[in-house]
Amino acid sequence: MLLTIAAPSHATRMLVSGNAMDGSNTNLTNAITGVALQAVFVAPSGFAATDLAGFDAVWLDGFSKYHWSSGDDLSAKLGTFMAAGGNVFVQNPGFGSEELALYPLGAQLAASFTYPPGIEGISIVDTTGPLGANHAINQGLVDAGLSDWDVSAYGYFTSIGAFTGLTDTGTAGQWITIASQVGSGYLVYTQQGVSQFLGTGSDTGAGGRDQAARFLSNVVTLSAAAPEPSIVSLVLFGLGLTGLLGAKRHERVTPRGARPGLPVRP
């Protein structure tokens, strides 16, 4: 059975599936609609049979089982979706019934799970570079807002292959959130319990609830087609320079004695 949580018509349409995602939890659904996302909840047992056409993103929970028959291929299904431009966001992959190798590019990864008591301190890596705070996924996020969720993360990645590491525990080699472009879409894995935290309705002194919702929004609305700000600036500069050169060129061909802005007699 599908349960749709509506949002404004311009909203990104996201399929949500996992044991830690409850479509009847108003704390969770209000957080989703609060960042202009439209969620369609599907039970994990129904995920394999669900057509992903028409969705912009898929958000899954690693505490769940998505393979219910020998013919189910989670990695291939999500890979096809990302090749066409969809984004896939998986929280806590490898923690539950599905081992990491069953997820897209999962064979590159290794993880260590620490619950209880879990990880509380989360750090954005390389806060001055493009792979840290300036990365689109981390836009508007800060360490304090991602930390102290009780539990913030259920473990960490110890090996991330070709993925880009975006946050960690504050200790080198203990990655929390990692990302990779796949086809025209993006694949993002995190060991943070995003839905668990949003579902409680609680908050932290650093605005953790708003940060968790923004984190979700940043991931599922990420676009491979969107140019980086530096590229936009260069384009605008180029257009301005072109206009200036055109004006100068026009000025040079205006005959001496002619009044600017008036036609020149033959």
Side-chain angles (χ1 to χ4, degrees):
M1 183 179 73
L2 303 183
L3 175 61
T4 302
I5 305 300
S9 58
H10 66 277
T12 296
R13 192 164 186 258
M14 171 179 63
L15 185 150
V16 182
S17 185
N19 293 336
M21 284 98 155
D22 182 358
S24 64
N25 184 324
T26 56
N27 291 321
L28 176 60
T29 57
N30 286 343
I32 290 171
T33 57
V35 287
L37 301 177
Q38 183 186 61
V40 176
F41 286 79
V42 177
S45 59
F47 178 77
T50 301
D51 187 354
L52 300 184
F55 290 100
D56 303 297
V58 172
W59 181 20
L60 301 179
D61 166 40
F63 286 85
S64 308
K65 179 180 179 180
Y66 300 100
H67 289 71
W68 289 84
S69 70
S70 59
D72 298 340
D73 191 335
L74 177 64
S75 182
K77 181 170 185 170
L78 295 177
T80 300
F81 178 70
M82 289 184 287
N87 292 339
V88 171
F89 184 35
V90 184
Q91 62 180 37
N92 315 123
F95 192 99
S97 302
E98 308 288 32
E99 60 186 60
L100 275 171
L102 294 176
Y103 291 93
L105 307 182
Q108 301 181 20
L109 308 177
S112 176
F113 298 101
T114 56
Y115 182 77
I119 306 290
E120 286 302 342
I122 308 297
S123 298
I124 295 173
V125 299
D126 187 18
T127 57
T128 61
L131 301 184
N134 291 333
H135 193 286
I137 292 175
N138 282 335
Q139 286 295 303
L141 304 181
V142 295
D143 294 357
L146 294 173
S147 301
D148 300 312
W149 288 3
D150 190 36
V151 174
S152 294
Y154 292 86
Y156 51 82
F157 296 100
T158 56
S159 178
I160 62 174
F163 281 77
T164 296
L166 299 179
T167 62
D168 62 18
T169 66
T171 299
Q174 295 183 359
W175 303 102
I176 297 295
T177 298
I178 61 177
S180 178
Q181 185 172 342
V182 179
S184 298
Y186 281 91
L187 173 62
V188 180
Y189 291 131
T190 189
Q191 295 300 349
Q192 293 211 246
V194 181
S195 70
Q196 293 95 322
F197 181 59
L198 290 176
T200 65
S202 62
D203 209 337
T204 67
R209 183 173 173 78
D210 289 340
Q211 289 271 285
R214 180 159 187 168
F215 178 26
L216 172 64
S217 177
N218 285 353
V219 172
V220 301
T221 61
L222 192 62
S223 173
E228 296 293 331
S230 58
I231 301 299
V232 173
S233 299
L234 288 173
V235 170
L236 292 176
F237 175 77
L239 291 175
L241 183 59
T242 300
L244 178 60
L245 291 175
K248 290 294 184 183
R249 189 178 300 113
H250 177 73
E251 181 181 332
R252 286 197 298 270
V253 300
T254 301
R256 181 178 297 176
R259 295 176 60 190
L262 295 178
V264 178
R265 292 184 179 182

